[in-house]
Amino acid sequence: MKILYPLLGLWLVLVVEAQQVPASPPLIQEWQVPWARTRPRDPFVAPDGRVWFSGQLGNYLAVFDPASEAFERVDLESGTYPNGVAVDDAGMVWYAGNRNARLGRLDPQSGEITTFPIRNPAVRDPHTLALDGRGQLWFTVPESNRIGRLDMSNGELELIWVPTSNARPYDIKLDGRGQPWVTLFGTNKLARVDPVTLDLAEVTLPRPRARARRLEVADNGDVWYLDFSGGIVGRYRPSSESFDEWPIPGERRARPYGAALDGEGRLWLADQGGRTMRLLSFDTQGERFLHDLALPSPSGTVRHLHYHAPSNSLWFATDANTLGQIRLAP
């Protein structure tokens, strides 16, 4: 049967099995970020419903109000090139200074910015952030081959060396026990960190050429990873130390980048391997691919997806200088 997906006045037609796609289609909307060629990325929805993101090439943080559709910009010190963004329960906006070796915190109410320099000359490129909800901010440092932790109350920093050389720790997520999981994008491994002892254990993926770039951790502890090199969705079960993998369908080899798990247990991923950017979902319970949606801005790489449970939506930013929302079925 044919399923029609409304995308900003366009219709995307997919021929699929009737039972494979939910009845209510997602709706995608994008807004042009008003500061051209600044690479907006890594959106995160704050407790007040506004969406914060970084302008990596523009040295700024910005916030978008979905109600008024207005953007506001906060300039950062020259040379910051901010990367990952996270907003804590108090509304403080945290960011990674990818080229000036520091983490930062913005108080949106006062506009005050506090920075936390990484005082190790070998560590210069903090990248992706993860809040543990217990006062700790975890982060990756790819080119410096470290994983870090910041005590948000006193600014104390701790760094963990990854034993595999050039492992490039990239994405980081926490499981239900507050244990960080990390993709080692420079090799065919994942890493797990004990949050008490800071001991690091590596998990080797089944294929030597695998290069996991993004990951998500499900409520049951399963670790879902996206193999950027092989175009594969993978699952690692720590309880049994077992793997399962599924090739991502398409006319060309997929290059999965941004990822998020939604409230229905679907793994969403952004594929940049084809002629246009597309968003796919994978049913982690039924173990099958569901949606395959073309982005309205087809040339814009999606580096990160963020799921916001209260609005049941996914947020993303693109290299086409847009900010976007995917509204999922209620």
Side-chain angles (χ1 to χ4, degrees):
M1 66 179 290
K2 291 183 178 180
I3 303 296
L4 303 181
Y5 285 82
L7 299 176
L8 293 181
L10 302 176
W11 292 97
L12 174 66
V13 181
L14 299 179
V15 179
V16 296
E17 294 291 333
Q19 71 274 18
Q20 287 185 321
V21 178
S24 299
L27 297 176
I28 302 178
Q29 185 174 4
E30 290 186 279
W31 296 266
Q32 194 70 40
V33 174
W35 308 287
R37 296 182 295 277
T38 53
R39 191 185 288 170
R41 59 178 299 163
D42 294 15
F44 198 108
V45 182
D48 64 4
R50 298 190 301 166
V51 185
W52 286 90
F53 61 93
S54 60
Q56 189 173 37
L57 301 184
N59 276 317
Y60 65 79
L61 295 176
V63 63
F64 174 73
D65 186 338
S68 65
E69 299 187 327
F71 288 87
E72 296 178 26
R73 171 172 170 157
V74 178
D75 288 314
L76 302 174
E77 61 183 306
S78 177
T80 298
Y81 289 85
N83 204 85
V85 174
V87 185
D88 65 27
D89 291 341
M92 299 292 118
V93 183
W94 297 84
Y95 63 92
N98 190 236
R99 294 194 190 176
N100 64 358
R102 64 197 60 202
L103 303 172
R105 182 187 66 210
L106 166 69
D107 182 340
Q109 296 298 319
S110 66
E112 180 182 7
I113 294 175
T114 305
T115 60
F116 303 86
I118 302 173
R119 305 188 186 282
N120 182 327
V123 180
R124 61 188 182 276
D125 58 312
H127 188 272
T128 301
L129 307 180
L131 294 161
D132 72 354
R134 306 170 188 177
Q136 305 291 331
L137 177 69
W138 294 84
F139 59 97
T140 56
V141 199
E143 301 303 324
S144 305
N145 219 45
R146 265 85 162 183
I147 299 163
R149 184 175 71 177
L150 172 73
D151 187 317
M152 296 156 61
S153 65
N154 59 23
E156 181 180 344
L157 270 164
E158 297 176 276
L159 296 168
I160 304 157
W161 172 257
V162 178
T164 297
S165 62
N166 300 314
R168 294 185 65 194
Y170 195 86
D171 199 13
I172 182 167
K173 295 293 191 311
L174 285 89
D175 63 22
R177 297 185 294 170
Q179 183 172 239
W181 288 85
V182 179
T183 56
L184 301 182
F185 187 40
T187 186
N188 64 323
K189 296 179 179 180
L190 307 175
R192 179 182 67 241
V193 179
D194 186 309
V196 177
T197 66
L198 300 187
D199 291 338
L200 182 146
E202 295 181 340
V203 176
T204 302
L205 302 179
R207 290 168 295 103
R209 294 185 179 181
R211 294 294 181 270
R213 193 164 196 169
R214 293 291 189 189
L215 58 70
E216 295 291 324
V217 184
D219 291 342
N220 65 358
D222 288 351
V223 180
W224 292 88
Y225 58 89
L226 300 183
D227 176 6
F228 184 80
S229 176
I232 283 172
V233 168
R235 176 179 61 198
Y236 173 64
R237 285 183 159 157
S239 57
S240 59
E241 299 184 349
S242 62
F243 292 89
D244 297 286
E245 295 189 323
W246 297 264
I248 298 169
E251 61 181 17
R252 299 183 180 184
R253 179 180 293 181
R255 291 289 183 267
Y257 204 161
L261 279 169
D262 70 15
E264 300 297 320
R266 293 171 297 195
L267 177 69
W268 288 83
L269 61 100
D271 170 34
Q272 65 180 57
R275 294 186 179 88
T276 61
M277 278 297 305
R278 61 187 184 134
L279 295 164
L280 298 93
S281 69
F282 181 79
D283 179 356
T284 60
Q285 300 300 315
E287 300 179 0
R288 59 182 182 177
F289 288 91
L290 298 174
H291 301 90
D292 188 340
L293 310 175
L295 274 188
S297 57
S299 62
T301 297
V302 174
R303 302 165 185 272
H304 176 77
L305 289 171
H306 171 68
Y307 177 65
H308 181 236
S311 63
N312 194 29
S313 64
L314 296 152
W315 286 89
F316 62 92
T318 78
D319 285 5
N321 227 65
T322 64
L323 179 70
Q325 182 186 29
I326 309 167
R327 297 174 184 170
L328 305 179

